Amino acid sequence: DKYGRKPGFFWTLIVASIFGLISSLANSLIFLAICRVGVGFGVGGNTPMAFTLFSEFIPTHDRGFHMILVDIFGSFGMLLCCTFAFLTLSDWTLLNWQAFCVLSSLPGFFILYLRNKIPESPRYYALMGQKKNARNTLFQIALVNGTSLPQGRLVVYDQPVYTPLSKLFNSTK
């Protein structure tokens, strides 16, 4: 919480993407293994950052459902990776494992581009005492969604507010 979600998301994605790209230049098994461990650290760090950042933009009454959608989206990413492997590593193709490493690192760079369009979470701003930034971000979200912010003041809880387990999959208000 000290630096926000955005820098953590950015750096973990950079680590995964750069190490993935550098993997294609490996000239030894040791160097390839080191690069793939770097990819693992990046992906391992990015996954909780992405879930945390995304969950802070979703109202609590819809959060469980949307987090399942994020998880399903990750499965589509794995399917895309398998497709890249099929297209580059099959016997009938002229490509090789280096092409697979390059191709599989490209979605990370695309996500970096998209990530710049997403603001820091309003919750982070509120917890850091930056209520004006939190309100501006909430205003932008409301504008994109074609709605307006409810009247009232922004309230920041020092302690997390827990939703009962029974409401986890209930998307009604």
Side-chain angles (χ1 to χ4, degrees), residues 61-125:
H61 63 274
D62 284 338
R63 195 168 290 157
F65 174 74
H66 285 91
M67 296 316 294
I68 290 171
L69 291 179
V70 170
D71 197 40
I72 290 170
F73 186 73
S75 298
F76 283 113
M78 289 181 226
L79 184 61
L80 181 65
C81 189
C82 292
T83 303
F84 289 164
F86 176 74
L87 294 174
T88 57
L89 302 175
S90 296
D91 290 338
W92 52 267
T93 184
L94 298 176
L95 301 173
N96 57 19
W97 65 269
Q98 287 100 340
F100 171 72
C101 289
V102 169
L103 198 57
S104 64
S105 69
L106 294 181
F109 291 108
F110 179 66
I111 291 169
L112 277 170
Y113 167 76
L114 293 178
R115 178 58 187 101
N116 285 328
K117 308 286 185 201
I118 300 171
E120 184 62 81
S121 83
R123 182 176 187 276
Y124 168 75
Y125 283 138

Side-chain angles (χ1 to χ4, degrees), residues 130-140 149-150 152 154:
Q130 300 176 20
K131 288 186 178 184
K132 183 177 181 184
N133 288 340
R135 195 152 194 50
N136 287 342
T137 302
L138 289 169
F139 179 76
Q140 289 174 342
L149 291 177
L154 184 62

Side-chain angles (χ1 to χ4, degrees), residues 141-160:
I141 293 169
L143 191 65
V144 166
N145 288 306
T147 187
S148 59
L149 291 177
Q151 293 298 318
R153 63 184 181 91
L154 184 62
V155 177
V156 179
Y157 297 100
D158 291 332
Q159 297 292 323

